[in-house]
Amino acid sequence: MAVSTVPTRPIAGQKPGTSGLRKKTRIFMEPGYLENYVQAIIEGVGGVKDREIVVGGDGRFYNDTAIGVILRMLAANGAKRAIVGRGGILSTPAASNLIRIRKAFGGFVLSASHNPGGPDEDFGLKFNVSNGGPAPEPITDAIFEATKTIATYAIVEEAAPSIETLGTFDLAGMVVEIVDPVADYVAMMRDLVDFDRIRALFASGFTLRFDAMSAVTGPYATAILEGELGAPKGTVVNGTPLPDFGHHHPDPNPVHAKELFDIMFGPDAPDMGAASDGDGDRNIVLGRGISVAPSDSLALLAANLHLAKGYTAGLKGIARSMPTSRAADRVAAKLGVGMYETPTGWKFFGNLLDAGKVTICGEESAGTGSDHVREKDGLWAILIWLDIVATRRQSIMEIVHDHWKTYGRDYYSRHDYEALPTDVADALFADLRASLATLPGKVFAGLLVTSADDFAYTDPTDGSVSSKQGVRIGFEDGSRAIFRLSGTGTEGATLRLYVELFEADPARHDLDSQMVLAGVLDAADAIAGIERRTGRDAPNVIT
Ligand code: G1P
Ligand code: ZN
């Protein structure tokens, strides 16, 4: 084989975020940029000689070209086998599953998740390790170090084989195996949810609209919902993955999935609405006239998970990210199982899942998953919802209201201020952090502060400490406000403000969230001066 060792030098800006590297696509397309990061990953993970590596992505623009480069570099670095989803397609949870069932060394996952795709939009790449989850911090640190010292990268001169045809091919001594991206995922779901029960639900006339948002879940949802489960054709909409997601943000929130939300709150709403994001790890579930808040969805799935086929033995424990509402905590308390509060980002759940401490985890940002893989899994959550509906034979509205009646309702909202000047956001946080000790005992917009801290997490499995994970303010009425800076935005800084308030009284479970939370929102603004400092009188996105 002909290996080129190409001289290179560190390229600025390769600091990986929470989940690999996410940048504008044009940056990834600059000569040597992608190659540089791929070589840094290969070095950061200790080399790939004789290893088997999974490769796939969400199908966005540049996905196929980047996979060709990755394959040529894996071959040059001595990998034994690359297992690639046909067409370069693998949803993030499907990639996690493939790494696990093939006992691979790890996988390259190409995605910028819910960010838009295209030559002028976003691209991303991360490495998942042998448990199927994102590389843990010591490895991402080693990758980052490698980006700073890199001097050469290795690539074979041979062209990579086509990734459009199933089969096994040779690339300079490395086996390239092109696999069906959907089949193994379907097989896994068949073990976890009761396909017969859900088929009977659809046969009884139950209607669903699944919006794949022209992203990666289309083929998976079509195969399972319309294929295996007998839902009528047309149940899956926007089901063909497009390189630019049809010019949309593939993010299942009320702004970007507006059409779905409008339909679900309109006169012709089907029984259930659902959507996933660019790479298939997020989900949103709606009923006729109701959108299930992701924090509530986690609590509800946890409370009902034993009804689903793969979980009849019950739960070991529940984990949620810190800004996720405390609704799941009430379920854990009732079930008598462990409850874990982790920093934002899926990697913290991986250790808990590996240690067998939890069965289900979730985040307020529309991510839920279980111990079946080491990523959140959008379609999984939607199928579990279907299995629960098929068992209980109640509407989503009834199931949610029943849950609130039993546990009370945690009113919840997240306000995002996107693309802020970095210095403005940094100053806001610096001042907020500096004031924390002085806040308890003071009143802001009529609310007395009872606690204020900067969340730090000690991992119960390995003792590692993650500090500065978000500012938490507690108020006398039990409400809380959390301030965090996004780690995934690609433009300026994004401030996230999360607020919640518990309400036990069922007579007050049907109120408008923004109205209920107005008091704590005002207090948060009075404390941090968001409006005054940013000049914004409203957030860009409210979820
Ligand atoms: C966002 C979400 C977070 C999620 C991450 C990756 O990160 O808030 O829950 O884990 O995307 O999907 P953030 O931009 O807030 O750092
Ligand atoms: Zn995603």
Side-chain angles (χ1 to χ4, degrees), residues 108 154 220 230 301 309 333 388-389 403 406 441 488 496:
F108 284 85
Y220 297 86
L301 289 174
K309 179 178 169 186
I388 292 168
V389 172
H403 185 89
T406 308
T488 64
R496 306 205 195 283

Side-chain angles (χ1 to χ4, degrees), residues 281-414:
D281 57 358
R282 294 186 175 195
N283 78 90
I284 186 83
V285 167
L286 301 99
R288 199 172 275 139
I290 185 170
S291 145
V292 185
S295 293
D296 278 345
S297 185
L298 171 66
L300 241 140
L301 289 174
N304 291 279
L305 198 60
H306 62 282
L307 301 176
K309 179 178 169 186
Y311 303 89
T312 48
L315 302 187
K316 293 177 185 149
I318 307 173
R320 64 164 171 84
S321 66
M322 182 274 282
T324 302
S325 95
R326 292 166 291 187
D329 303 26
R330 305 177 206 291
V331 176
K334 185 152 187 224
L335 294 176
V337 299
M339 181 74 221
Y340 299 84
E341 184 179 40
T342 65
T344 295
W346 207 259
K347 65 184 173 192
F348 296 95
F349 295 142
N351 285 355
L352 297 170
L353 291 164
D354 283 348
K357 289 182 180 298
V358 302
T359 302
I360 186 170
C361 347
E363 295 191 280
E364 50 66 40
S365 53
T368 350
S370 89
D371 53 7
H372 65 294
V373 286
R374 293 295 179 272
E375 291 276 3
K376 51 192 177 240
D377 188 345
L379 198 47
W380 168 85
I382 292 159
L383 291 169
I384 297 284
W385 261 99
L386 279 168
D387 209 4
I388 292 168
V389 172
T391 308
R392 292 182 50 163
R393 292 287 177 141
Q394 286 172 294
S395 72
I396 290 182
M397 179 79 92
E398 285 164 344
I399 292 174
V400 172
H401 275 88
D402 261 14
H403 185 89
W404 289 339
K405 215 167 166 185
T406 308
Y407 295 94
R409 176 172 181 186
D410 292 89
Y411 279 99
Y412 185 85
S413 185
R414 181 175 106 181

Side-chain angles (χ1 to χ4, degrees), residues 511-531:
L511 305 174
D512 175 69
S513 298
Q514 299 305 316
M515 191 196 81
V516 171
L517 295 166
V520 57
L521 284 165
D522 284 348
D525 191 51
I527 290 170
I530 302 172
E531 214 178 303

